[in-house]
Amino acid sequence: MRNIPLFAAICLLALVACNSNGKKETNAIEFKNVNQRLAKSFSDLKRLDTFKIELTGRKPEEMVLNFTIKNADGKEIYNTKIKGTELLGSTDPNVDLSKEKDQIIFLKTIADDFFSDDNFLEPAVMPEDKADNYAPDKALYEELKKSGLNGFKYRLGKENNIYIAWSEKEQKVKIYYNCC
C-alpha cells in the first residue's frame, strides 16, 4: 500500500516530462483534410443523392477540392476536381493571401462552406424566371422550369459561380447557369 503514492508520483512526473516537449507553436496550422457528405434531393425529387466534398493536400499548390454527387442507387453522376491554385488565383484582389498559412485557411473555409444551405437551390429554376446571357443551355433552363428539380451552386472564384442541375432528358448533370 505504501508504494501506490510513490508509483503515482513517478507516473505523474513521467507524464509531465513527456508532454513538456510536445507543445505546439502558436502559429502552426492544425491541418485536417475536409471530408463531408450530405444527402439531398437533386436528380430525383423523391430520393436522396449523396453530395461529397474532399479537400486533400498539405500545401496550397498541392491542394485539390474533389466534389462528387452520387444518385440514390450509388451511381456517380457528377465529379469535378478543382485545384487549390485555381481557387486562389480568382479571389478578391483585396484579400491578402501572400502567406501560405492564409492560403490554407482560405481554401479550408471554401471547403467547409461548400454545403451551406444557400448553395442548395430548391427548385433550380423558378417558373417565372427567364433565361438570360448567363444561361449556357436555354433548353435545359426551360426543362428545369417544368421538372421542378433542384439545383446546386458552387464558387470557383470571386465572380464565378457554377449552377448545376440534373437533366432528365439527357440523364446527366449539366451547368444551367454561370454567373457572378
Side-chain angles (χ1 to χ4, degrees):
M1 284 294 213
R2 292 182 190 183
N3 291 337
I4 291 175
L6 179 62
F7 180 71
I10 291 171
C11 288
L12 185 61
L13 273 170
L15 186 64
V16 169
C18 289
N19 285 338
S20 64
N21 291 336
K23 290 183 181 174
K24 290 183 182 179
E25 280 184 49
T26 54
N27 61 353
I29 299 170
E30 170 99 15
F31 188 85
K32 198 167 119 185
N33 287 342
V34 175
N35 187 341
Q36 298 176 20
R37 289 177 197 258
L38 186 68
K40 286 279 194 176
S41 172
F42 183 74
S43 64
D44 184 330
L45 292 174
K46 295 178 181 136
R47 299 171 74 199
L48 300 178
D49 297 284
T50 302
F51 288 69
K52 183 178 178 186
I53 185 78
E54 287 182 292
L55 178 66
T56 58
R58 292 206 169 270
K59 296 180 176 268
E61 62 272 8
E62 299 168 354
M63 294 175 105
V64 175
L65 194 76
N66 188 21
F67 171 45
T68 58
I69 303 172
K70 290 185 179 180
N71 66 14
D73 297 326
K75 180 184 176 204
E76 187 172 278
I77 58 174
Y78 190 73
N79 184 332
T80 188
K81 294 180 187 317
I82 307 164
K83 293 179 181 178
T85 52
E86 185 180 342
L87 292 168
L88 291 169
S90 56
T91 60
D92 185 338
N94 298 321
V95 176
D96 181 16
L97 294 175
S98 56
K99 295 179 185 161
E100 184 177 88
K101 175 184 171 185
D102 295 331
Q103 293 173 11
I104 292 170
I105 291 168
F106 178 80
L107 292 171
K108 284 182 67 67
T109 301
I110 288 175
D112 285 335
D113 293 343
F114 207 80
F115 292 148
S116 72
D117 287 340
D118 294 346
N119 291 341
F120 291 92
L121 309 166
E122 298 176 3
V125 178
M126 299 301 284
E128 65 275 4
D129 288 349
K130 303 232 184 293
D132 59 22
N133 292 337
Y134 297 112
D137 186 335
K138 309 279 192 256
L140 173 61
Y141 201 88
E142 292 303 315
E143 177 188 334
L144 291 170
K145 284 169 78 169
K146 291 176 185 153
S147 73
L149 285 174
N150 298 327
F152 181 78
K153 74 172 179 165
Y154 60 94
R155 190 179 105 176
L156 283 183
K158 179 184 174 215
E159 294 196 18
N160 189 6
N161 288 308
I162 305 292
Y163 294 70
I164 58 172
W166 177 256
S167 169
E168 288 182 323
K169 181 180 175 187
E170 295 185 42
Q171 291 293 295
K172 66 180 183 178
V173 175
K174 295 181 69 179
I175 295 173
Y176 72 92
Y177 205 70
N178 188 351
C179 180
C180 29

